[in-house]
Amino acid sequence: MKRVLNIVLALGFLFLLSCEESENAPLSSDNVSPGMITDVEYSAVPGGVFISYKKPGDKDLMSVKAVYTNPKGKQMVEVSSVYSSTIEVLGFADTLTQTIALYTVDRSLNESEPYMLEAKPGIAPINSTKLTLKMEEDFGGIKISGINESNANLAFLVFGEDSVNNFTNVETYYTSQDSVTFSVRGFKPKLTKFGVVVRDQYDNYSDTVFANLTPWLEEQITPETFKLLVLNNDEDFGHNGRPF
């Protein structure tokens, strides 16, 4: 019995040793930085830049990363696999020149010296879409339409005057469709100030588009006022001899 107990204790000790946390570390380790990327080119895309490059010949190359600052002042990182020769950087709110640092990274997590790229992004979807926005009267509110040419994930924040003339967010509409059309209801038929702001997935906001519109009168019809209309040429095939 004592022998069995000793075996059990020994196995338990070995099990505890095997469960100890091990530190995550690179599969290979050296202190040699990889070479830099070369032949860097870029093209402007909506709200960002598309970058192409030539990779160095390091056999242990793992990835290429782009480091930049977004419009909120936060440092951002995009990473591209060793199997790719391109990287896309998105999330800019304007077309001002941006500085992007491009690094190569090897399997020992060594980084190259940065390749500093000065690039001008394309017009952001929030701004190109804002230019196409149209507001017009609708029953009980307004109809809003526009063109989201790049199929970006956008939110349309609609503002309107409430019963005490406070300008508040009355509805938010989300879409990535290229053709945008939706209505906002719940307003009385009186001259009302409306506004629309476009927001993207990177929390960038467009300027507000304003319009003063008078919604059309909209009234609910109660079921008690419904009447069955039977025409002279209707067939008697329905309930109680009446057509459906």
Side-chain angles (χ1 to χ4, degrees), residues 2-66:
K2 186 176 181 181
R3 178 184 175 88
V4 173
L5 180 60
N6 289 336
I7 293 174
V8 170
L9 290 174
L11 290 174
F13 179 72
L14 291 174
F15 176 76
L16 289 175
L17 286 178
S18 66
C19 291
E20 289 183 359
E21 291 187 9
S22 58
E23 182 181 353
N24 292 327
L27 295 177
S28 59
S29 179
D30 63 49
N31 295 317
V32 181
S33 297
M36 296 171 61
I37 58 174
T38 56
D39 299 341
V40 180
E41 297 181 350
Y42 84 90
S43 57
V45 296
V49 293
F50 183 80
I51 305 167
S52 62
Y53 49 82
K54 182 178 179 180
K55 301 186 293 283
D58 299 71
K59 293 183 178 180
D60 62 345
L61 188 67
M62 182 174 67
S63 62
V64 173
K65 72 176 184 178

Side-chain angles (χ1 to χ4, degrees), residues 37 51 64-69 75-78 87 89 98-104 111-118:
I37 58 174
I51 305 167
V64 173
K65 72 176 184 178
V67 180
Y68 62 99
T69 302
Q75 188 178 84
M76 306 295 290
V77 177
E78 293 291 338
I87 191 168
V89 177
Q98 305 292 331
T99 300
I100 303 170
L102 297 161
Y103 300 84
T104 58
E111 295 182 357
S112 69
E113 291 295 317
Y115 181 101
M116 305 305 294
L117 174 66
E118 301 289 320

Side-chain angles (χ1 to χ4, degrees), residues 158-177:
V158 183
F159 295 82
E161 293 175 323
D162 60 18
S163 57
V164 291
N165 296 323
N166 290 324
F167 202 56
T168 60
N169 182 200
V170 296
E171 186 165 330
T172 301
Y173 179 79
Y174 300 89
T175 186
S176 60
Q177 298 293 317

Side-chain angles (χ1 to χ4, degrees), residues 117-158:
L117 174 66
E118 301 289 320
K120 293 188 67 172
I123 183 170
I126 56 170
N127 294 321
S128 59
T129 302
K130 185 206 75 170
L131 296 175
T132 69
L133 285 179
K134 181 180 179 182
M135 288 181 276
E136 54 189 330
E137 294 90 348
D138 200 356
F139 287 103
I142 61 171
K143 182 172 74 172
I144 300 163
S145 59
I147 302 297
N148 176 16
E149 192 174 51
S150 58
N151 291 98
N153 292 311
L154 298 177
F156 295 80
L157 287 69
V158 183

